[in-house]
Amino acid sequence: MRTFRHARLLAATGVALSALALTACQSGSGTRDEGAAQSGSPSATKDVSKPAPEKSPQQTGMNGGSGQASGGSADPVKSARNGLGGKTGQGAKDDDGPQDLTICNGSNTRTTAQPVSRPLNHMLLTVTNTGSKRCALMYYPVLRFDEMQWVPQAIEDTQPQAVTMLEPGGSGYAGVLLSAADGSGTGADTGHKLVVGFQGRTPNSDGGPAAVPGLPAKGVHYDSALSVTYWQTDMEDALN
């Protein structure tokens, strides 16, 4: 009888221990394999095994955008360079290009200076091409009466749209305002010798030999209003 009770006690104890072990496994409080848990966790798979899925479209979009930007900017730049190159090439072959210009000066032209009655106090400069090539009258004449120590200013409103070109035998003109019609000019003087200087390809540069046109025997009266127009292709434009 005592042996039977002892067997029943052992059996009950075994059932209780089994139930306790089962409860512990279900509640997660039992023993765990930390290494297996880390290798099998969702976070480890996302961070280590492969990149986050949401990053792939963004990276692809950036690469694609960069490629499109490069392609889009390259074509206009290339076209612009080609266009500039073409224009440069054409300019180099153009007879009107500055590098091909023959400058009009005292060595290939004849210059006259003639006072006119209308408009008042004006003089007309005429330059005629005596050479075999067309030449360019650049900017405006640089005038000097006798030992004058100052340079008459150009009348800016008379600047033409293009350089005045003279074919062989052709003429160009410039008007000279000698003195103020209302008497407001100062430093009045009479010039007996006139030197006409020619400008080169850039403003105020030396265009070559000057001209010394003849003046009336009595000379030419001028004052501080002395000024000159740009070279013109038409006589009326020079005087008006």
Side-chain angles (χ1 to χ4, degrees):
M1 186 69 177
R2 185 176 298 176
T3 301
F4 177 74
R5 290 180 179 177
H6 181 70
R8 291 181 60 185
L9 178 61
L10 290 175
T13 302
V15 172
L17 289 174
S18 299
L20 179 62
L22 179 63
T23 303
C25 290
Q26 291 178 350
S27 63
S29 62
T31 303
R32 297 177 58 189
D33 185 344
E34 295 295 336
Q38 291 179 356
S39 62
S41 65
S43 61
T45 302
K46 179 178 179 181
D47 296 338
V48 178
S49 301
K50 61 180 180 180
E54 64 271 13
K55 291 183 180 181
S56 298
Q58 181 180 6
Q59 291 173 350
T60 303
M62 290 176 64
N63 293 337
S66 176
Q68 293 174 2
S70 299
S73 61
D75 291 341
V77 171
K78 183 177 180 180
S79 300
R81 287 179 178 174
N82 291 339
L84 289 173
K87 290 181 180 180
T88 302
Q90 293 175 3
K93 297 179 181 179
D94 188 349
D95 290 338
D96 287 335
Q99 63 273 20
D100 297 319
L101 285 178
T102 297
I103 304 299
C104 299
N105 54 43
S107 68
N108 55 14
T109 62
R110 181 181 66 254
T111 302
T112 62
Q114 181 64 44
V116 296
S117 57
R118 291 288 185 274
L120 293 174
N121 305 331
H122 275 70
M123 180 173 67
L124 177 68
L125 296 179
T126 303
V127 174
T128 302
N129 184 356
T130 58
S132 60
K133 298 180 179 180
R134 69 171 179 170
C135 63
L137 277 172
M138 304 298 294
Y139 308 106
Y140 52 88
V142 180
L143 306 184
R144 182 183 181 187
F145 283 109
D146 300 322
E147 301 301 322
M148 189 169 65
Q149 299 299 312
W150 54 282
V151 177
Q153 295 298 308
I155 303 172
E156 292 298 330
D157 291 344
T158 64
Q159 184 173 359
Q161 295 295 321
V163 175
T164 298
M165 302 295 300
L166 302 185
E167 299 293 339
S171 297
Y173 310 91
V176 181
L177 172 62
L178 296 170
S179 59
D182 59 3
S184 59
T186 60
D189 203 347
T190 300
H192 295 279
K193 178 183 177 181
L194 174 64
V195 176
V196 179
F198 298 89
Q199 299 189 58
R201 291 177 175 82
T202 57
N204 302 317
S205 63
D206 185 5
V212 185
L215 294 177
K218 65 179 181 179
V220 174
H221 176 78
Y222 67 91
D223 61 23
S224 60
L226 181 65
S227 54
V228 64
T229 70
Y230 280 75
W231 291 113
Q232 309 290 330
T233 57
D234 187 87
M235 182 187 303
E236 292 186 0
D237 290 340
L239 293 176
N240 294 330

